[in-house]
Amino acid sequence: MDGKFITDIFRRFDRNHDGIISKEELLALFDKIMPDFKDVDRLLQQMDTNHDGLIQYEEFVVWILGTGSDRSRLLHAHADAAHKKMDRLRESQTGMKRTMLFWSQLDSEKGRESLAKLCKDPPRGALSVCCAVHALLRVSGKRIHWKAAEQMMADPDVFLAEMKAYNPYAIPAYVHQSFEHTLTLPYFDYDRMVDRSYALACLGSWVIAAVQSWKEAKQMVPLEAAARRADAAVAAAAASFAEAKKLPE
């Protein structure tokens, strides 16, 4: 069980962030993640080794690294709460859903026809939009010329497959920094561009959605890490319990 996990769970208890856990804070958290738990007083006595009515961080560490059914139940409840928090945030995020929406529009008959026209006769702003698309798909911060944009879209099946496979977690910050100053240009506004080029309107909106999904992925990273730590703690506790059962009485 690593120190970061212990800090994670201690902070969940320590709601006012004063470095100690009071009985009221114990009650508040257990009421939230383990509402059927009724032995808070007994648990407080177990944790509070200096008998001052409060739980210091050091006391909490000793307890969480120990054994017992209460500890095991708490670890499971904490892991469950960590996953639920992660799932709630993921469900509220719309970036990837919107990337798939604009990808599907480009993959339609209308979208593919417009994409072919875009390659042959690019309207004003096409290069700015395609530079951003290229940066995201090829994970590059370099500005490209129109010939490179044409090559990127030359095979629509390959190009659309790349768009569909876009992974916001794989994009470093410098890629976004290379084109973020262009996102306020009218070429990324669907309503302004759709009459000029349906494909360009979809591509520009896909870029905006892809950037949003990248920001949302950054929000997910610490929650995913916390959930993994919680799962690892549960597994470690189960292993310790299994080893203890093997010992002769």
Side-chain angles (χ1 to χ4, degrees):
M1 192 181 301
D2 64 30
K4 185 68 173 69
F5 169 76
I6 296 174
T7 301
D8 287 345
I9 198 167
F10 184 83
R11 286 174 175 170
R12 291 205 70 184
F13 279 105
D14 184 19
R15 302 181 72 183
N16 65 0
H17 310 297
D18 62 354
I20 56 176
I21 301 171
S22 66
K23 179 180 178 179
E24 291 73 22
E25 288 172 322
L26 268 182
L27 285 167
L29 184 61
F30 274 98
D31 186 57
K32 183 176 181 181
I33 67 173
M34 292 173 61
D36 61 331
F37 189 82
K38 306 301 180 185
D39 297 324
V40 174
D41 286 329
R42 176 177 56 80
L43 186 61
L44 180 61
Q45 290 176 0
Q46 290 177 6
M47 294 181 175
D48 182 23
T49 55
N50 68 359
H51 310 296
D52 65 352
L54 300 169
I55 303 167
Q56 316 297 323
Y57 180 75
E58 294 77 9
E59 293 173 321
F60 183 79
V61 171
V62 170
W63 179 80
I64 202 70
L65 291 177
T67 59
S69 59
D70 291 340
R71 168 180 170 271
S72 178
R73 290 178 65 192
L74 174 61
L75 291 175
H76 277 88
H78 176 71
D80 185 56
H83 280 278
K84 286 180 178 177
K85 184 176 182 180
M86 183 175 64
D87 291 342
R88 284 195 301 270
L89 179 59
R90 182 180 288 116
E91 185 62 28
S92 71
Q93 295 179 339
T94 61
M96 281 305 295
K97 296 174 185 177
R98 288 177 59 78
T99 62
M100 293 307 297
L101 169 65
F102 292 111
W103 168 83
S104 66
Q105 290 181 350
L106 272 172
D107 195 34
S108 67
E109 182 179 352
K110 178 181 179 180
R112 284 174 174 261
E113 289 178 358
S114 182
L115 195 59
K117 292 179 182 177
L118 173 63
C119 290
K120 294 177 182 178
D121 185 22
R124 183 178 181 183
L127 181 57
S128 293
V129 172
C130 288
C131 276
V133 174
H134 183 274
L136 292 167
L137 296 184
R138 306 298 165 83
V139 192
S140 171
K142 296 181 180 179
R143 184 168 177 82
I144 61 171
H145 298 291
W146 182 248
K147 185 175 181 180
E150 284 184 299
Q151 291 173 345
M152 175 180 69
M153 299 181 289
D155 186 329
D157 291 331
V158 173
F159 177 58
L160 288 165
E162 284 186 281
M163 289 183 66
K164 188 177 183 180
Y166 166 72
N167 177 12
Y169 288 89
I171 309 299
Y174 75 83
V175 170
H176 288 270
Q177 293 166 358
S178 70
F179 65 81
E180 64 181 352
H181 63 285
T182 66
L183 296 181
T184 56
L185 295 173
Y187 317 127
F188 291 89
D189 187 319
Y190 183 91
D191 292 332
R192 291 190 185 186
M193 296 304 297
V194 68
D195 290 334
R196 298 188 201 177
S197 170
Y198 181 71
L200 193 60
C202 291
L203 285 172
S205 297
W206 181 87
V207 169
I208 297 296
V211 170
Q212 180 184 348
S213 72
W214 177 76
K215 294 177 180 178
E216 291 171 346
K218 288 180 65 178
Q219 294 175 334
M220 288 297 301
V221 167
L223 297 189
E224 290 169 343
R228 286 194 298 271
R229 288 192 294 270
D231 290 341
V234 169
S240 296
F241 180 74
E243 286 296 319
K245 287 183 68 175
K246 295 178 182 178
L247 298 176
E249 296 184 0

